């Protein structure tokens, strides 16, 4: 049996086996036909039929198997009658032991055992084996029908072998055929019935009548002879009789029996001999019952098949509509499917357009037939509302369509059947089929059309929603595109502002402008040029290229200076408006621009945007797109102009910052020693770097040679920034220069300095200070501190230890004593003084700290004092990400090695 065969196609195989059984010459021939049919109907790989013998065992009499080895395995098995006893089929583990052993030898995954009985005695069995999934309930039913055929075959051929007369054999064959009729469910059931009845009863002819809706008989099927009119009276007589009726028709005898309760047909058999007719009449009633069941089953099968086919068409149409998710495609698909389903060339779908219907999809129609659709919808929603549709058999005479004659003629419509499209509670359209005139629609077709209309309404609503969603998606995408462009522009402005705020560097700001322009505007390159010192040319300040492989080439092309006297550049600087580059303008600008002419001629685009404040043009931003598919248009230039405006403000601030920073640094350094002293026996290193902030810092350091040959060093930090801090730094420097000569010892110096500072400094301010003296000859070191981080002693072996001096910062309170500590500075050792800007440098929330300070000094030991100071500040800068948030001052005094 082919995959996907319907159940009635499977049962048809059993029906065919019944016909073969009825005409078989031997029992084995009949059983083999049953085995083959059962295997085909159930999809079994092996079918085995057994028959009881006198020894009390069931022996194999027929095997249907594709494999000869499988057939041999089955033929060699034996099954006892006692073990085979039973009245109903069983599956797998419920089957007899011998059957399960055979299943294992055949490698079968599913087993079906169906006993065959007569009068309460087991006379045989049917066994089915396959490697696929388990047998279904319907397949079990088919197997039981086949086992019944086995029982009938055993009975018929058993009596024939015992020597009974031919008439009795024919009667038993008729009973056998009647049992087989239960499996007949195909479209030719009536033809098969009369053929089986004629062959099984040895009748010369057979004919079948059926009743029409008015109860009249009409010919249905016949075998070996047409339905003679003379037999109609006999058939009519059988309709009112419960038993077969015998009547003489010429030289023949006609046996008639009603089929069904109530009767819906009559079966007639014609015999040449009255004796044969009488013998057949005895069992014809039972045969008629089987025939009625077969015909009803065939009718149900046809109805089910029609419904299945129509459901398949409906589902196919809806699947196609849903798959398309487009209103036009969905309706076109539906119209085609409905036309084929109702065998009509004229089909239309109308959708609501305000208060009227408009054609959405149609085929086979001409003219303007919307008025007809409006009338049909009105009828479907009015008098035919309960029915769910409206049917017009003859459009030209139906009074309901009065006044539409011209429309009907132009559209060539003879009849109509239409169902409204209702989605939820809303009527959204109409599905109309225009069949040939006079064709009446069946009840099944009404149900189908109504169902299809409901499903179509859903599909149309979904398609409309899809189209609306698609349109909304387009509009949303456009809105999102505009928002993305605006976001990119805002992002670019933020990037430039953030870069300036983070670095306060002109170079970093310009780099951020060029990079942001390329990345945000999807360009190949951006160049920023600024006026040179003499204001005669524009020189390249920064270049950013999207593709690193093009960087060298574009840098060569764009690096040449631009002469500011060129007319176009003069106009750009005067008006402060962007300049769109074309081959002519690029050629006239000079400098690097003529090199762009060949690219511009091939579709590349470029523009020059001024970076201008309201009063001045500070620089130019040149944009370049080499890809003709990504031209620089008005929108790009507008976005670039916004970026340029923000960049110009950042540039102006950067220039101002640089000027102020330079002034602050100049003032700061004027308060520090102009040069480092040279002291025999000592190695002196100093690094001072101010923070990125513009304000003056408060770090101060100074040196002095004392009268007794010692060398004095101070390192301090004044609170605050700016001019006030500078004044306090000057005071601290004056105090050191004046007091140290009178009071050279560290503790005494800080006590005297505190009295001076406390009298001069503003309330709330103070100065932290370290003071130490070193004897270059002996290495004797004395140190005292006033609120400042303690210095570190870096020994020759790399060990770092703090000199834990402490005391109150200068200027907070008078009359203070400061304890001084003494150490020996061995040859090769160094003492390191530093301000808090070093240990308070940050990387996020993490401080540089004294532990990292000591690790860095240990790593730098053995180097010169200047190298140690430089290395410490550089490591501090790296830790802070390249920027110093506070001033850093480091003084290193080392003693020369031996």
């Amino acid at each position: 049996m082919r995959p996907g065969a319907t159940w009635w196609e499977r049962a048809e195989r059993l029906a065919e086996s019944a016909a073969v059984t009825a005409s078989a010459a031997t029992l084995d021939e009949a059983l083999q036909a049953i085995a083959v049919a059962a295997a085909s109907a159930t999809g079994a790989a092996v079918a085995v039929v057994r028959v009881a013998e006198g020894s009390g065992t069931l022996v194999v009499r027929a095997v249907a198997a594709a494999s000869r080895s499988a057939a041999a395995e089955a033929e060699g098995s034996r099954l006892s009658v006692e073990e085979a006893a039973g009245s109903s089929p069983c599956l797998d583990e419920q089957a007899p032991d011998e059957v399960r052993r055979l299943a294992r030898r055949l490698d079968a995954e599913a087993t079906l055992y169906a006993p065959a009985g007569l009068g309460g005695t087991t006379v045989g069995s049917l066994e089915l084996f396959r490697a696929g999934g388990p047998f279904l309930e319907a397949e079990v039913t088919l197997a039981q029908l086949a086992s019944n055929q086995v029982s009938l075959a055993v009975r018929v051929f058993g009596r024939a072998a015992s020597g009974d007369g031919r008439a009795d054999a024919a009667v038993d064959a008729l009973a056998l055929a009647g049992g087989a009729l239960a499996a007949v469910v195909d479209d030719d059931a009536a033809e098969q019935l009369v053929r089986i009845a004629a062959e099984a009863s040895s009748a010369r002819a057979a004919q079948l009548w059926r009743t029409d809706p008015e109860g009249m008989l009409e010919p249905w099927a016949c075998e070996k002879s047409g339905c003679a009119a003379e037999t109609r009276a006999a058939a009519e007589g059988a309709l009112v009789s419960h038993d077969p009726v015998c009547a003489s028709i010429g030289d023949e005898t006609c046996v008639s029996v009603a089929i069904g309760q109530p009767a819906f047909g009559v079966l007639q058999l014609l015999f040449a001999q009255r004796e044969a007719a009488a013998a057949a009449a005895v069992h014809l009633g039972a045969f008629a019952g089987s025939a009625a069941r077969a015909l009803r089953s065939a009718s149900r099968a046809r109805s089910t098949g029609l419904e299945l086919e129509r459901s398949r068409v409906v589902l196919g149409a809806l699947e196609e509509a849903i798959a398309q998710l487009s209103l036009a495609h969905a309706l076109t698909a539906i119209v085609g499917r409905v036309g084929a389903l109702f065998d009509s060339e004229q089909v239309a779908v109308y959708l609501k357009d305000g208060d009227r219907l408009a054609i959405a999809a149609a085929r086979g129609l001409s003219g303007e037939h919307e008025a007809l659709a409006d009338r049909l919808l009105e009828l479907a929603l009015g008098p035919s509302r309960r029915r769910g549709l409206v049917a017009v058999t003859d459009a030209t005479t139906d009074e309901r369509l009065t006044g539409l004659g011209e429309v009907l003629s132009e559209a060539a419509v003879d009849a109509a059947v239409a169902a409204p499209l209702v989605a939820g509670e809303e009527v959204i359209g109409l599905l109309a089929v225009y069949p040939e005139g006079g064709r009446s629609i069946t009840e099944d077709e009404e149900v189908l059309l109504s169902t299809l209309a409901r499903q179509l309404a859903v599909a149309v609503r979904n398609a409309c929603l899809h189209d609306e969603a698609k349109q909304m998606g387009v509009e949303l995408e456009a809105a999102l595109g505009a928002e993305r462009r605006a976001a990119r522009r805002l992002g670019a402005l933020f990037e430039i502002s953030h870069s300036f705020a983070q670095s306060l560097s002109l170079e970093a700001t310009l780099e951020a402008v060029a990079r942001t322009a390329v990345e945000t505007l999807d360009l190949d390159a951006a160049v920023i040029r600024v006026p040179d010192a003499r204001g005669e040319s524009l020189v390249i300040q920064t270049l950013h290229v999207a593709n690193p492989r093009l960087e060298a080439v574009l840098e060569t092309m764009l690096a040449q200076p631009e002469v500011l006297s060129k007319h176009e550049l003069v106009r750009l600087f005067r008006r402060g408006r962007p300049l769109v580059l074309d081959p002519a303008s690029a050629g006239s600008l000079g400098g690097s621009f003529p090199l762009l002419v060949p690219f511009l001629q091939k579709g590349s685009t470029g523009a020059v945007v001024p970076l201008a404040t309201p009063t001045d043009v500070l620089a130019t931003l040149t944009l370049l797109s080499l890809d003709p598919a990504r031209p620089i248009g008005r929108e790009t230039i507008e976005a670039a102009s916004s970026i340029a405006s923000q960049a110009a403000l950042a540039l102006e601030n950067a220039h101002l910052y640089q000027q102020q920073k330079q002034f602050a640094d100049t003032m700061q350094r004027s308060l520090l020693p102009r040069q480092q002293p040279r002291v025999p026996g000592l190695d002196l290193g100093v690094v001072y770097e101010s923070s990125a902030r513009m304000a003056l810092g408060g770090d101060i350091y100074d040196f002095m040679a004392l009268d007794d040959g010692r060398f004095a060093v101070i390192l301090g930090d004044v609170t605050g920034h700016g001019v006030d801090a500078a004044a306090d730094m000057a005071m601290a420097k004056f105090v050191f220069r004046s007091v140290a000569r009178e009071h050279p010892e560290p503790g005494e110096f800080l006590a005297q300095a505190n009295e001076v500072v406390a009298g001069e400094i503003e309330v709330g301010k103070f100065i932290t200070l370290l003071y130490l003296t070193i004897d270059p000859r002996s290495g004797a070191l004395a140190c005292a501190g006033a609120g400042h981080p303690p210095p570190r002693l870096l020994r020759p072996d790399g060990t770092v230890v703090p000199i834990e001096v402490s005391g109150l910062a200068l200027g907070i309170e008078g009359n203070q004593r400061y304890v001084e500590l003494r150490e020996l500075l061995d040859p090769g050792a160094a003492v390191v003084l530093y301000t808090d800007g070093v240990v308070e440098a940050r990387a996020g929330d993490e401080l540089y700290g004294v532990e990292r300070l000591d690790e860095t000094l240990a790593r730098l030991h053995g180097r010169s004092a200047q190298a140690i100071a430089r290395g410490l500040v550089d490591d501090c800068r790296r830790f802070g990400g390249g920027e110093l948030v506070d001033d850093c001052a480091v003084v290193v005094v080392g003693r020369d090695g031996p």
Side-chain angles (χ1 to χ4, degrees), residues 538-622:
L538 290 173
V539 295
I540 187 170
Q541 181 69 32
T542 185
L543 165 69
H544 189 82
V545 179
N547 188 344
R549 292 179 296 179
L550 299 177
E551 186 170 1
V553 176
L554 291 176
E555 186 174 6
T556 302
M557 291 176 54
L558 300 172
Q560 297 185 34
E562 315 294 344
V563 179
L564 274 173
S565 60
K566 293 291 184 178
H567 175 70
E568 292 290 347
L569 289 178
V570 171
R571 187 170 62 176
L572 181 142
F573 269 75
R574 183 182 300 133
R575 298 182 179 180
R577 296 177 183 174
L579 170 65
V580 178
L581 296 176
D582 54 33
S585 62
S588 65
L589 284 173
S592 298
F593 289 111
L595 298 177
L596 299 177
V597 172
F599 296 93
L600 296 173
Q601 291 174 337
K602 293 181 180 180
S604 299
T605 50
V608 182
V609 179
L611 275 67
T613 65
T615 59
D616 197 10
V617 175
L618 305 178
T620 62
L621 172 63
T622 302

Side-chain angles (χ1 to χ4, degrees), residues 28 92 277 282 354 365 444 733 739 748 825:
D28 287 340
D92 302 325
V282 175
L365 293 163
D444 289 341
K733 183 175 183 177
V739 175
E748 185 180 348
L825 194 63

Side-chain angles (χ1 to χ4, degrees), residues 132 145 181 192 261 338 471 505 510 513 539 566 574 607 630 662 704 751 771-772 808:
L145 288 174
L181 276 176
Q192 291 191 44
Q261 291 293 334
V338 172
Q471 180 61 32
S505 165
L510 293 177
V513 172
V539 295
K566 293 291 184 178
R574 183 182 300 133
R630 293 183 286 106
Q662 186 176 5
M704 178 183 294
Y771 176 88
L772 62 84
L808 190 65

Side-chain angles (χ1 to χ4, degrees), residues 719 732 735 749-755 757-758 761 765-770 785-787 807-813 816 818:
T719 56
V735 169
F749 168 82
L750 289 179
Q752 294 298 321
N754 180 56
E755 295 302 322
V757 172
I761 201 168
K765 292 188 177 183
F766 56 86
I767 299 174
T768 68
L769 197 69
L770 278 178
L808 190 65
L810 305 181
I812 296 178
E813 186 176 350
Q816 294 292 313
Y818 295 90

Side-chain angles (χ1 to χ4, degrees), residues 794-810:
L794 178 59
R795 291 173 175 162
D797 61 357
T799 303
V800 179
V801 294
I803 303 176
E804 297 287 0
V805 293
S806 62
L808 190 65
L810 305 181

Side-chain angles (χ1 to χ4, degrees), residues 638-657:
E638 289 178 356
S641 298
S642 297
I643 294 174
S645 297
Q646 181 70 24
L649 179 60
L651 287 179
E652 187 173 42
N653 290 338
H655 282 304
L656 179 61
Y657 164 75

